[in-house]
Amino acid sequence: MASELCKTISVARLEKHKNLFLNYRNLHHFPLELLKDEGLQYLERLYMKRNSLTTLPENLAQKLPNLVELYLHSNNIVVVPEAIGSLVKLQCLDLSDNALEIVCPEIGRLRALRHLRLANNQLQFLPPVFNLSLHFELFLFLPNVLLRSPDGTVVKHSAANRKLSSLNPPAAPPKKEVGDLKELQTLDISTNRLLTLPERLHLCLSLQYLTVDRNRLWCVPRHLCQLPSLNELSMAGNRLAFLPLDLGRSRELQYVYVDNNVHLKGLPSYLYNKVIGCSGCGAPIQVSEVKLLSFSSGQLTVFLPAEVKSIGTEKDHVLPLQELAMRSLYRSYHQFLKDLNFLSPISLPRSFLELLHCPLGHCHRCSEPMFTIVYPKLFPLRETPMAGLHQGRTTVSFVAYCCSTRCLQTFDLLS
């Protein structure tokens, strides 16, 4: 077997093969023949599935610098070395069915990566989200906007561009993570132990297919709704009790599967005209079992995202002061500050800053951004024309999240 392996690799080196198949070889270690001398400089695709590999060599990128596709499906790999980030031409990486517990942040250096498959491992998290460094405070005196720098200097918005470069401290070298994979189109992280997803995943602007089935997710970052190219999202078999208000607002997103999330009782009304899978959702459960804000209409109860501070009804004609302030701040932010090309974000309390950049949701009737309060309206799926498609396999409702009593009263799911 060893001599046959050496012969296969020698022929590939001599004939400058671009593809090398080493599947089903019962390999326990990465073949040294692949790493001898200059390695295989011409090799573009390496297939090593269904072996018993436990790790990868540190000099992999040095010896196989032109790898475009690397298939390591069904091995026993526990750790991927940091050197993986040096495979600058890699477009497809398959590490499914291994024993991975950690994915190193250096994977974010694979700028050409288009397909990443990490299914059926033991991952509890993806590379961590790093906090933004905040350097400015924003003071809103409508219609004027002022900025205060760390040294106390107040700068008017018209002069901010000229002052920013001198006020900002030197930026630290950016740390890499999954959100840095700008070309990524497919991400499969199903059958792991993930509790949540990194918020910066929404920076994968080319992501089209995201599969997170059979994990332990209890929430989905609302930032994912900003993914401009996402076409299919599958989150079946998790522990979701609610979905982001804006899920389905993007026209690109056409397929959403949330089957077998037993606590999930409400689907954003944006999903009404999408292809959805929700079998096994909405099982009877006592509200006290899940400590989340809930909304009831008749015998129906749905859980709301944790960021929702209060629920409006048809009698609540006046918005809370905090909601009014955030809506005014948001309008001013987009009117005055969006064109300033800041080198660093504006300093506000973190919760407000995050809402400013990514609102809680947008009104399902008029698209007005919402920050703390929502006016929900329920439409049981069994009472819609979609009932026949699901044949009683689910008891979920569509939820229209509105921004005011007026939108609440005029919203029509079927219009």
Side-chain angles (χ1 to χ4, degrees):
M1 179 67 72
S3 59
E4 181 183 348
L5 176 65
C6 291
K7 181 179 179 180
T8 300
I9 296 176
S10 296
V11 171
R13 177 182 287 108
L14 182 64
E15 298 182 359
K16 299 180 180 179
H17 288 183
K18 293 186 177 181
N19 303 321
L20 180 58
F21 296 88
L22 300 179
N23 303 320
Y24 302 96
R25 298 276 185 156
N26 196 30
L27 299 175
H28 292 265
H29 304 284
F30 203 87
L32 295 178
E33 290 78 7
L34 279 174
L35 309 175
K36 282 183 178 179
D37 303 324
E38 295 182 356
L40 275 70
Q41 299 288 316
Y42 293 90
L43 193 65
E44 294 182 359
R45 296 172 185 85
L46 178 58
Y47 300 82
M48 301 185 70
K49 70 178 183 180
R50 296 198 178 276
N51 285 288
S52 299
L53 301 176
T54 57
T55 187
L56 299 176
E58 291 286 347
N59 60 345
L60 181 63
Q62 179 184 353
K63 299 299 182 178
L64 306 175
N66 290 303
L67 271 187
V68 175
E69 299 178 9
L70 179 57
Y71 297 95
L72 297 164
H73 185 285
S74 300
N75 279 278
N76 296 317
I77 298 174
V78 178
V79 177
V80 177
E82 296 178 359
I84 193 75
S86 298
L87 290 168
V88 295
K89 296 184 179 181
L90 198 64
Q91 296 182 13
C92 181
L93 176 60
D94 189 346
L95 285 162
S96 301
D97 289 284
N98 277 277
L100 289 176
E101 297 181 1
I102 297 176
V103 175
C104 59
E106 283 70 22
I107 201 169
R109 292 164 53 194
L110 299 174
R111 296 304 178 89
L113 195 63
R114 296 181 180 179
H115 307 285
L116 177 59
R117 294 180 171 87
L118 302 170
N120 199 19
N121 279 283
Q122 301 176 33
L123 299 173
Q124 297 186 37
F125 57 86
L126 292 179
V129 177
F130 299 97
N131 296 334
L132 298 173
S133 55
L134 309 179
H135 301 305
F136 282 84
E137 294 180 5
L138 179 139
F139 296 83
L140 181 65
F141 301 96
L142 293 176
N144 296 315
V145 176
L146 302 178
L147 301 176
R148 176 183 288 173
S149 67
D151 63 2
T153 305
V154 175
V155 185
K156 292 186 178 180
H157 72 267
S158 60
N161 270 333
R162 298 192 296 271
K163 300 265 187 168
L164 273 173
S165 59
S166 62
L167 294 176
N168 287 331
K175 297 180 180 180
K176 304 301 180 185
E177 54 181 288
V178 172
D180 292 305
L181 302 175
K182 305 299 183 185
E183 300 299 322
L184 191 65
Q185 298 175 10
T186 303
L187 177 59
D188 185 354
I189 43 179
S190 56
T191 317
N192 277 282
R193 302 175 182 178
L194 298 173
L195 296 175
T196 186
L197 299 173
E199 290 182 357
R200 285 193 62 185
L201 191 59
H202 77 283
L203 297 179
C204 296
L205 301 181
S206 301
L207 191 62
Q208 298 177 25
Y209 306 99
L210 176 58
T211 305
V212 204
D213 298 338
R214 297 177 297 280
N215 276 277
R216 302 174 183 178
L217 298 181
W218 65 275
C219 70
V220 180
R222 66 182 187 278
H223 301 72
L224 285 189
C225 301
Q226 297 179 340
L227 284 168
S229 304
L230 190 63
N231 178 258
E232 181 175 314
L233 174 61
S234 187
M235 303 179 291
N238 279 280
R239 302 174 180 177
L240 299 175
F242 56 84
L243 296 174
L245 276 59
D246 276 352
L247 188 63
R249 186 168 184 252
S250 168
R251 292 184 179 182
E252 291 297 321
L253 185 59
Q254 292 295 319
Y255 305 90
V256 177
Y257 304 104
V258 291
D259 305 84
N260 299 317
N261 285 278
V262 295
H263 294 180
L264 184 62
K265 295 173 177 289
L267 306 176
S269 67
Y270 286 128
L271 296 177
Y272 179 70
N273 289 319
K274 313 287 185 177
V275 177
I276 57 174
C278 54
S279 298
C281 295
I285 183 172
Q286 297 295 324
V287 175
S288 58
E289 293 182 36
V290 180
K291 296 181 179 179
L292 292 171
L293 191 64
S294 61
F295 170 73
S296 298
S297 178
Q299 296 182 341
L300 301 175
T301 298
V302 298
F303 300 112
L304 302 184
E307 299 100 325
V308 175
K309 303 301 181 184
S310 57
I311 300 173
T313 68
E314 292 185 355
K315 299 179 180 179
D316 299 320
H317 297 283
V318 180
L319 291 171
L321 181 60
Q322 187 180 39
E323 180 70 18
L324 288 171
M326 288 300 296
R327 292 188 188 184
S328 296
L329 181 58
Y330 183 84
R331 294 190 196 101
S332 297
Y333 169 80
H334 281 270
Q335 180 179 356
F336 294 114
L337 304 180
K338 191 174 183 180
D339 297 329
L340 289 183
N341 298 318
F342 284 112
L343 301 179
S344 63
I346 304 164
S347 179
L348 286 172
R350 175 166 179 164
S351 59
F352 290 162
L353 178 63
E354 290 178 348
L355 283 171
L356 189 62
H357 287 280
C358 182
L360 179 62
H362 293 78
C363 177
H364 292 200
R365 176 69 175 83
C366 73
S367 293
E368 174 80 13
M370 302 176 291
F371 301 91
T372 61
I373 186 173
V374 296
Y375 291 76
K377 188 174 185 178
L378 299 187
F379 298 86
L381 186 148
R382 65 174 180 268
E383 297 177 9
T384 72
M386 292 183 63
L389 297 175
H390 296 273
Q391 300 178 345
R393 295 189 298 269
T394 184
T395 58
V396 301
S397 299
F398 290 102
V399 187
Y401 295 101
C402 300
C403 67
S404 64
T405 55
R406 180 179 179 180
C407 288
L408 180 66
Q409 294 167 354
T410 57
F411 182 89
D412 183 3
L413 182 67
L414 304 182
S415 64

